[in-house]
Amino acid sequence: MGHPVLQRIADSVADPTAPEIRALVDAMIESMAEAQGIGLAAPQIHVSRRVVVLMVPEVRTDPEDPEDTGMPLTVLINPEIEPLGDEKIGDWEACLSLPGLTGLVPRYKRIRYSWSTLSGEREERIASGFHARAVQHECDHLDGILYPMRMTDLSSLAFVEEMRRFSSDQEQPRRAAE
Ligand code: NI
């Protein structure tokens, strides 16, 4: 946080099949794995391109919600999000660009999103709950938005370590996105 590349609108990818995009994705996956994150956007490694890598662990999703599904590591190039309905829900998020911090962030409950694959095909899916949250968090990075800018009550912005020391079991923050 504070690096100008995280504040600007990232550039669209003209050719998702270009070797430079494959190389960028490889570097992103490596950084994400190193940081033990579940998602990463290109600006987080200081490359201003509209590229996200994301996986949604099954354990984070709501088994009662058929649209909140796990997803293996997926590359999203030029992703676009359309909220489905106005409903927002709050949950804890963290971000590799704000180490040690967590906050309660309202996000659209249900979205449709689309993206280009590395082979240049356009795909789309509907997601809700945690899955939808993770997509919204990562795509915000492409528009220069970090999660505190989405918070409506900054009193929940906290250091994870302090929250662990002082919070009771029912309000344990977890890393909801990266
Ligand atoms: Ni993040």
Side-chain angles (χ1 to χ4, degrees), residues 38 55-73 125 130-131 174:
I38 63 150
M55 57 192 230
V56 181
E58 197 80 47
V59 293
R60 305 277 191 94
T61 61
D62 177 1
E64 310 277 286
D65 181 349
E67 287 176 346
D68 187 9
T69 48
M71 181 170 73
L73 183 61
R125 70 185 287 172
F130 176 80
H131 187 134
R174 57 201 173 106

Side-chain angles (χ1 to χ4, degrees), residues 5-173:
V5 75
L6 286 173
Q7 290 165 355
R8 57 165 294 196
I9 310 278
D11 296 328
S12 290
V13 174
D15 179 8
T17 66
E20 51 152 337
I21 297 303
R22 165 71 69 169
L24 169 62
V25 164
D26 288 346
M28 289 170 65
I29 291 171
E30 199 179 310
S31 295
M32 187 182 87
E34 235 166 66
Q36 297 181 299
I38 63 150
L40 193 81
Q44 293 184 275
I45 59 163
H46 304 163
V47 178
S48 191
R49 306 301 291 275
R50 302 189 79 80
V51 179
V52 161
V53 293
L54 175 67
M55 57 192 230
V56 181
E58 197 80 47
V59 293
R60 305 277 191 94
T61 61
D62 177 1
E64 310 277 286
D65 181 349
E67 287 176 346
D68 187 9
T69 48
M71 181 170 73
L73 183 61
T74 302
V75 179
L76 310 175
I77 300 168
N78 299 331
E80 276 171 39
I81 296 177
E82 177 198 345
L84 298 175
D86 295 328
E87 192 186 348
K88 290 186 177 181
I89 43 176
D91 204 350
W92 295 95
E93 294 188 16
C95 181
L96 299 174
S97 299
L98 292 79
L101 288 168
T102 187
L104 199 52
V105 187
R107 298 280 185 190
Y108 288 108
K109 183 177 195 283
R110 193 162 177 260
I111 60 168
R112 177 186 290 120
Y113 69 104
S114 63
W115 67 96
S116 294
T117 66
L118 280 167
S119 44
E121 285 135 29
R122 202 76 193 162
E123 295 196 3
E124 114 171 4
R125 70 185 287 172
I126 286 172
S128 66
F130 176 80
H131 187 134
R133 172 173 302 277
V135 172
Q136 289 170 82
H137 176 114
E138 295 310 332
C139 292
D140 264 357
H141 279 297
L142 308 179
D143 292 324
I145 297 168
L146 298 173
Y147 75 81
M149 296 158 73
R150 294 285 190 197
M151 291 174 67
T152 46
D153 178 4
L154 282 171
S155 70
S156 74
L157 188 63
F159 291 107
V160 175
E161 204 171 303
E162 295 296 316
M163 291 226 29
R164 285 214 183 100
R165 283 173 62 202
F166 294 106
S167 66
S168 57
D169 287 342
Q170 63 264 29
E171 192 96 346
Q172 278 294 337

